[in-house]
Amino acid sequence: MSSDRPILHIVPSEPWGGIQALLPMLVREQVAQGKHVTLLCLGRGERIRAAAAAYGLNAVTRSIAGPVAPFRLALALLGARGAIVHTHCEPIWAASVIALSGTRRWIAHAHVYPDDELTWKKRVSRRLQREFAKRHIAISHSIGRALIATGLARADTLDVVRNGVVIAPETPPSDLRSAAVFTLGFVGRVVAEKGIFDFLDLVAMLATDERLAFAVYGEGADLSEARSRAAALGIAHRIVFHGYVEDIAAAWDTLDLVAIFSHREPFGLVFLEAVQRGVPSISYANDSGGSEVAAELRSAYRVAPRDVAAAAAIVRDLATSRAAPTEALAHDRATIAAHFDIATMARGVEAAYLRLERGVSATPAEPDARR
């Protein structure tokens, strides 16, 4: 059994990398299943529109921007009356319009922890979600527990649907990796909560080892401060800051190990991307969605939070052995195919839609625009 209602995905103008990568994959999977889907960007949404275009989704992708955007969103909701309204970290004005629209098929997808970046606008937006969204999806059990603990969702209206990736064919060994140098990298948003300064502390501990090289791929609000911190630590000459790169696959192929020192990673697509590019990872064992993922991967080395010395010991051991954990990576590719592929995620989302439908069906039916 499946829901045949139209689906309206609503996403902020320039979401961070996780949603940029994830949502077009999910929409493509839903379209392939014959769903009537619209991907609505609240703003120009250049990066997510580019990702959608790469998946052939131009026909189902729309943008609304400018001072009349709230009015245009209201019209879109009116035109899609009866559809499942599936939101992804929408801004306060959009949450307000959705709440006022009277839709009873609003499902709010929690991609971050409820207490992250709690400006007054986010507080109001989440209050609207709590009061008006009929179901919530959390991308990890850790986020699900946090939503329940803060009263933003109830256990009986919460689904945990872990993120997925498109299963890529196994790549041959990269000729971009140096045979003489072991490269440790940071990949992602260059911000404190993603662990960029922990990464710099690790580099400082390892900087005198000439067998090692260090690279940072990504941009973010703390990039300038990270450069300054590297200079203050005397390691700026040891790190290459690449900034934002279009060809992230080529970036992965330069790394022997990726450090994922997020203090509280909501999910951690980067763990799955690393496995698919044949790169092991090192991260913190903490109460987070990312740690949930890493715990299922044999190629994911974990240390206690902030234990940079233990991380440095693992890096030195791997640099000495120079042997990629091929068996562990092969096991992890099979784990991803079984539990973290985009089709599995789409089935989980569909199950949440069906539970939403069962909840709505207990109330008087609303007009369906398709009739």
Side-chain angles (χ1 to χ4, degrees):
M1 181 179 176
S2 65
S3 171
D4 61 353
R5 286 188 177 275
I7 303 161
L8 178 62
H9 287 284
I10 298 178
V11 65
S13 175
E14 292 298 345
W16 52 91
I19 297 181
Q20 284 181 27
L22 179 72
L23 195 51
M25 288 192 292
L26 175 60
V27 170
R28 184 177 70 165
E29 186 71 20
Q30 290 176 329
V31 169
Q33 294 173 1
K35 307 288 187 183
H36 177 67
V37 187
T38 301
L39 174 58
L40 184 62
C41 302
L42 303 177
R44 293 176 61 86
E46 293 177 354
R47 287 187 179 174
I48 197 165
R49 286 180 65 88
Y55 284 125
L57 299 173
N58 282 331
V60 302
T61 305
R62 296 167 50 199
S63 292
I64 56 173
V68 298
F71 178 70
R72 293 181 62 191
L73 176 58
L75 288 178
L77 291 167
L78 181 63
R81 195 155 183 83
I84 293 170
V85 179
H86 189 157
T87 61
H88 306 265
C89 300
E90 71 290 346
I92 181 175
W93 66 265
S96 301
V97 172
I98 295 166
L100 289 171
S101 74
T103 178
R104 291 185 287 110
R105 292 185 174 84
W106 180 8
I107 189 163
H109 207 132
H111 296 264
V112 296
Y113 287 93
D115 56 346
D116 285 353
E117 303 175 3
L118 266 189
T119 62
W120 71 268
K121 291 183 178 180
K122 287 191 178 292
R123 289 180 186 275
V124 173
S125 182
R126 286 170 179 161
R127 176 70 178 266
L128 290 168
Q129 288 183 1
R130 183 184 70 186
E131 297 297 329
F132 294 98
K134 298 304 181 184
R135 291 198 73 85
H136 292 78
I137 293 176
I139 63 174
S140 66
H141 293 284
S142 179
I143 288 182
R145 289 192 294 269
L147 289 172
I148 293 170
T150 54
L152 292 176
R154 304 195 317 268
D156 62 327
T157 60
L158 174 71
D159 296 282
V160 175
V161 180
R162 299 193 296 184
N163 290 343
V165 293
V166 173
I167 304 300
E170 185 174 350
T171 57
S174 170
D175 58 5
L176 297 177
R177 295 189 182 112
S178 169
V181 177
F182 185 91
T183 302
L184 172 67
F186 175 99
V187 178
R189 283 191 301 140
V190 184
V191 292
E193 62 264 29
K194 291 294 185 181
I196 182 60
F197 299 115
D198 302 60
F199 176 77
L200 296 180
D201 289 341
L202 177 60
V203 174
M205 191 170 287
L206 296 168
T208 58
D209 192 333
E210 295 300 325
R211 299 173 302 168
L212 304 175
F214 309 96
V216 174
Y217 289 99
E219 60 185 14
D222 293 330
L223 178 57
S224 177
E225 185 178 349
R227 290 179 179 274
S228 298
R229 181 79 64 87
L233 290 170
I235 57 174
H237 66 292
R238 296 287 279 125
I239 305 174
V240 179
F241 287 89
H242 293 274
Y244 178 79
V245 292
E246 292 289 345
D247 188 2
I248 191 63
W252 278 115
D253 288 347
T254 67
L255 302 181
D256 294 285
L257 179 69
V258 62
I260 308 171
F261 289 148
S262 178
H263 299 163
R264 193 168 60 158
E265 182 66 42
F267 178 80
L269 279 173
V270 66
F271 288 101
L272 308 183
E273 293 166 355
V275 168
Q276 295 212 93
R277 299 305 306 185
V279 180
S281 61
I282 186 167
S283 64
Y284 293 144
N286 53 25
D287 180 18
S288 72
S291 200
E292 288 176 27
V293 174
E296 298 191 35
L297 304 175
R298 293 182 182 175
S299 65
Y301 301 89
R302 297 194 296 161
V303 299
R306 309 300 178 98
D307 194 345
V308 179
I314 291 173
V315 174
R316 291 191 186 101
D317 286 346
L318 293 173
T320 299
S321 69
R322 295 295 300 175
T326 52
E327 289 187 9
L329 286 165
H331 171 273
D332 292 347
R333 278 188 285 269
T335 297
I336 292 173
H339 301 294
F340 294 107
D341 70 312
I342 196 66
T344 300
M345 179 189 176
R347 287 194 295 270
V349 168
E350 177 66 19
Y353 290 169
L354 291 173
R355 283 187 278 271
L356 173 70
E357 284 293 292
R358 286 199 295 269
V360 170
S361 65
T363 61
E366 69 179 17
D368 191 335
R370 295 173 301 154
R371 293 176 182 171

